[in-house]
Amino acid sequence: MEKAMDAGRQSEVTCVDFWCNEFGMRVRIALRELGVPFEYIEEDLRVRERSELVRRMNPVHRSIPILIHHGLPVCGSANIIEYIDEVWGEETRLLPGDPADRADARFWADFIDHKVFSTQTKFFTSKGEEKEAAKEELVEHLKRLEEVLGDKCFFSGDEFGFLDVVFIPFSSMFYGYEQHGGIDLEAECPNLTRWEKRCRERESVCEVLPDGKVQYELHKKFYGIE
Amino acid sequence: MEKAMDAGRQSEVTCVDFWCNEFGMRVRIALRELGVPFEYIEEDLRVRERSELVRRMNPVHRSIPILIHHGLPVCGSANIIEYIDEVWGEETRLLPGDPADRADARFWADFIDHKVFSTQTKFFTSKGEEKEAAKEELVEHLKRLEEVLGDKCFFSGDEFGFLDVVFIPFSSMFYGYEQHGGIDLEAECPNLTRWEKRCRERESVCEVLPDGKVQYELHKKFYGIE
C-alpha cells in the first residue's frame, strides 16, 4: 500500500508505521506535504510482539509511528508533525504562524487524540446502552469539530495545515461510523463531509488514506465485531 | 498564596487556576520566568461546580488552568507554556531552539502528563496489591526521568526551561510519595532530588510551589486517605 518515495536516501528519513494506523497516516501525509523523501518500514500491529526496531527506537511506549531522522527517533504523532514542520517547513508551513492560532490548533489536536479517539474506541468495542452512549458522545465530538471548521476550506482557512493533517486520517473511519452505528455523517456534519472530499483530492492524502470499507473490515476483525 | 504580579494590567493577561494544581503551577512559573505580569483568579477545585468563567472560557473540558490573553482563552497547560514562550519569549526562551531537542522535550512532557500523572493518581487512590503495583510503576517512571536529567543542572542543560517548568510542580508531591508509600526518592533518584533543590532556589518556583506537607495533607483529604 505504502511505497517509499525515495528508497535511495533511506538512511536519512525513515517512517515506521502500519498502513491503516490513524496516527501514523498523519506522519506520512505531513512528509508528503512538505516533499520529504522517506523510507517506509511496515510494523504489523496485528502481530502482538513489537519488532526489535520499535523496541529500540521507542523503548518507553513501544508504539508507532516513529520517525527516524539521521538515526535518531522522534515519537508521538503530533510531536512528529511539529518536528517535520520545524525541520522541513520552508515556503509551506503546517502550523499557523500566529501564536493564538497555533495554540488553537494544538488544543484541537489534543481533543482529537484524547477525546475523539477514546470515544471512537468505546463505540467500536461496546454493545447495547454503552455503545449508544459512545455513539452520542462521538457525534457530539464530531459536531464540535464541524463547528471549528465552519465554512472554511480547511481548519486553518484556505490552506491545508496541521489540524487537517491530524484529523483527516480519522475520516477513513467515517464509513465505519455509518455501518457500525448508523451515524449519518453527511446529515450531522455537512462541513466535515465536504472537507473530507476536498482533502482527498490532495495527492498526499489520497496516497495514504485507505478506503473506508477496507478500513472498517480490518477494524471489525481487530475489535471482534461480527 | 498566589498574588497577582500586576493587578493594574489585569485586562491583558489572566491566569485562572487553583493554588495547588500541578498543571496550573506550570503556567504561573512560566509567566514569572518570562516576566509577564498577570492577574490571578482562583478556581477552587474542591467546589464541584465550575465557575461561570471556566465554563465560558473552556466549554470543552471545563478544566483549569486557563490563560486569558486580551480576552481570548488558551487551554491545556503544555499548550499554554508553548503559547507563553512564543508570545513573550525574547532573550529567554523556554523551549530549546533545536527541533530534535524540542521534540524530545515535548515527548517527555507528554510522558509526564499521561504516564506519571495517571500512575500517581492510581498510587494515591488504590490499596493493597494495586497500590504496590502503582508504586513500582511510579518509581519506574521517575527513574526514566532521572536518566533523562542525568547529571545536568536542568533538563535542557544549564538553563531552566520547558521540561523543568512542566515537571517541577510534581516535586510538590515527592513528600507525599514518601509518606504514602515509603518511596525513598533521595536514594532512588538522587539527580531528581538535587534538581528539585536547584529549581526551588528560583524565585519563579519557590513563589508558586506549595510545601510538600501542605500538598500531601490536601491530597489526603481529596483522595479520602486516612
Side-chain angles (χ1 to χ4, degrees):
Chain A
M1 184 109 197
E2 182 68 37
K3 281 179 291 179
M5 285 177 75
D6 182 352
R9 294 175 64 186
Q10 61 184 241
S11 61
E12 198 180 322
V13 181
T14 302
C15 175
V16 187
D17 193 18
F18 184 45
W19 63 275
C20 63
N21 174 17
E22 289 158 271
F23 296 98
M25 288 181 215
R26 297 169 170 179
V27 174
R28 289 177 275 139
I29 292 169
L31 288 167
R32 282 177 159 77
E33 281 291 329
L34 298 192
V36 184
F38 64 99
E39 184 196 16
Y40 176 71
I41 295 179
E42 179 94 347
E43 174 82 9
D44 193 336
L45 287 184
R46 292 166 300 189
V47 178
R48 192 166 281 270
E49 184 77 6
R50 291 283 75 79
S51 66
E52 188 275 330
L53 181 69
V54 167
R55 282 182 280 138
R56 181 161 44 89
M57 287 292 170
N58 191 359
V60 175
H61 302 296
R62 298 184 172 200
S63 63
I64 54 167
I66 304 169
L67 186 83
I68 307 171
H69 186 202
H70 291 308
L72 291 173
V74 184
C75 302
S77 66
N79 192 18
I80 296 173
I81 304 174
E82 296 238 20
Y83 179 81
I84 290 170
D85 198 38
E86 288 173 8
V87 173
W88 293 284
E90 284 164 19
E91 298 115 62
T92 308
R93 290 300 300 255
L94 297 172
L95 266 294
D98 178 71
D101 293 338
R102 292 164 74 88
D104 216 44
R106 286 177 182 133
F107 174 85
W108 288 110
D110 183 83
F111 174 79
I112 291 162
D113 283 4
H114 298 108
K115 292 284 178 181
V116 179
F117 183 69
S118 63
T119 306
Q120 177 188 288
T121 306
K122 228 189 299 169
F123 170 61
F124 282 117
T125 53
S126 60
K127 287 181 177 174
E129 274 180 36
E130 211 183 320
K131 181 183 163 184
E132 273 310 299
K135 177 186 160 181
E136 256 182 55
E137 201 178 299
L138 184 58
V139 171
E140 200 183 294
H141 292 339
L142 294 169
K143 284 192 166 177
R144 281 207 189 269
L145 291 165
E146 168 86 0
E147 203 184 311
V148 174
L149 178 63
D151 57 6
K152 300 192 297 289
C153 284
F154 298 106
F155 276 97
S156 48
D158 291 334
E159 303 295 333
F160 182 84
F162 177 74
L163 198 54
D164 303 295
V165 174
V166 164
F167 191 47
I168 193 63
F170 280 70
S171 74
S172 67
M173 301 301 287
F174 287 176
Y175 176 84
Y177 295 170
E178 200 183 288
Q179 293 297 310
H180 187 66
I183 297 175
D184 184 351
L185 210 78
E186 202 156 347
E188 300 277 11
C189 302
N191 295 338
L192 281 184
T193 308
R194 277 193 292 274
W195 163 82
E196 184 203 353
K197 286 198 185 105
R198 198 174 291 124
C199 291
R200 278 191 183 261
E201 285 166 11
R202 302 181 80 81
E203 215 181 301
S204 68
V205 175
C206 76
E207 276 182 10
V208 169
L209 251 63
D211 176 76
K213 286 180 192 173
V214 173
Q215 182 75 319
Y216 182 51
E217 285 308 316
L218 189 114
H219 279 75
K220 271 168 76 177
K221 272 190 199 152
F222 185 75
Y223 291 130
I225 300 167
E226 282 147 22
Chain B
M1 184 107 194
E2 181 68 37
K3 281 179 293 180
M5 286 177 75
D6 182 352
R9 294 176 64 186
Q10 62 184 240
S11 61
E12 199 181 322
V13 182
T14 302
C15 174
V16 187
D17 193 18
F18 185 45
W19 63 275
C20 62
N21 173 18
E22 288 158 271
F23 296 98
M25 287 181 215
R26 296 169 170 179
V27 174
R28 289 176 276 139
I29 292 170
L31 288 168
R32 282 176 159 77
E33 281 291 328
L34 298 192
V36 184
F38 64 99
E39 184 196 17
Y40 175 71
I41 295 180
E42 179 95 347
E43 173 82 9
D44 193 336
L45 287 185
R46 292 167 300 189
V47 178
R48 191 166 282 270
E49 184 77 6
R50 290 284 74 79
S51 66
E52 188 275 330
L53 180 70
V54 167
R55 283 182 279 137
R56 181 160 45 88
M57 287 293 170
N58 191 359
V60 175
H61 303 295
R62 297 183 172 203
S63 63
I64 53 168
I66 305 170
L67 186 83
I68 307 171
H69 185 202
H70 291 308
L72 291 173
V74 183
C75 302
S77 66
N79 192 18
I80 296 174
I81 303 173
E82 295 239 19
Y83 179 81
I84 291 170
D85 198 38
E86 288 172 8
V87 173
W88 293 285
E90 284 164 18
E91 297 114 62
T92 307
R93 291 301 299 255
L94 297 171
L95 266 294
D98 178 70
D101 294 338
R102 292 163 74 87
D104 217 43
R106 287 178 181 133
F107 173 85
W108 288 110
D110 182 83
F111 174 79
I112 292 162
D113 284 5
H114 298 108
K115 293 283 177 182
V116 179
F117 183 69
S118 62
T119 307
Q120 177 188 288
T121 306
K122 227 190 298 169
F123 171 61
F124 282 117
T125 53
S126 59
K127 287 181 177 174
E129 274 181 35
E130 210 183 320
K131 179 181 163 185
E132 273 310 299
K135 177 186 159 181
E136 256 182 55
E137 200 179 298
L138 183 59
V139 171
E140 200 182 295
H141 292 339
L142 294 169
K143 283 192 166 178
R144 282 207 188 268
L145 291 165
E146 168 85 0
E147 203 184 311
V148 174
L149 177 63
D151 58 5
K152 299 192 298 286
C153 283
F154 298 107
F155 276 97
S156 49
D158 291 335
E159 303 296 333
F160 182 84
F162 177 74
L163 198 54
D164 303 294
V165 174
V166 164
F167 191 48
I168 193 63
F170 280 71
S171 74
S172 67
M173 302 301 287
F174 288 176
Y175 176 83
Y177 295 169
E178 199 182 290
Q179 292 298 309
H180 186 66
I183 298 175
D184 184 350
L185 211 78
E186 200 155 349
E188 301 276 11
C189 302
N191 295 337
L192 281 184
T193 309
R194 275 192 294 274
W195 165 83
E196 184 203 354
K197 286 197 186 106
R198 198 173 292 124
C199 291
R200 279 190 183 261
E201 285 166 12
R202 302 182 80 82
E203 215 181 301
S204 68
V205 174
C206 77
E207 277 182 9
V208 168
L209 250 63
D211 175 75
K213 286 179 192 172
V214 174
Q215 182 76 318
Y216 182 51
E217 285 307 317
L218 189 113
H219 278 75
K220 270 169 77 177
K221 272 190 200 154
F222 185 75
Y223 291 130
I225 299 166
E226 282 148 21

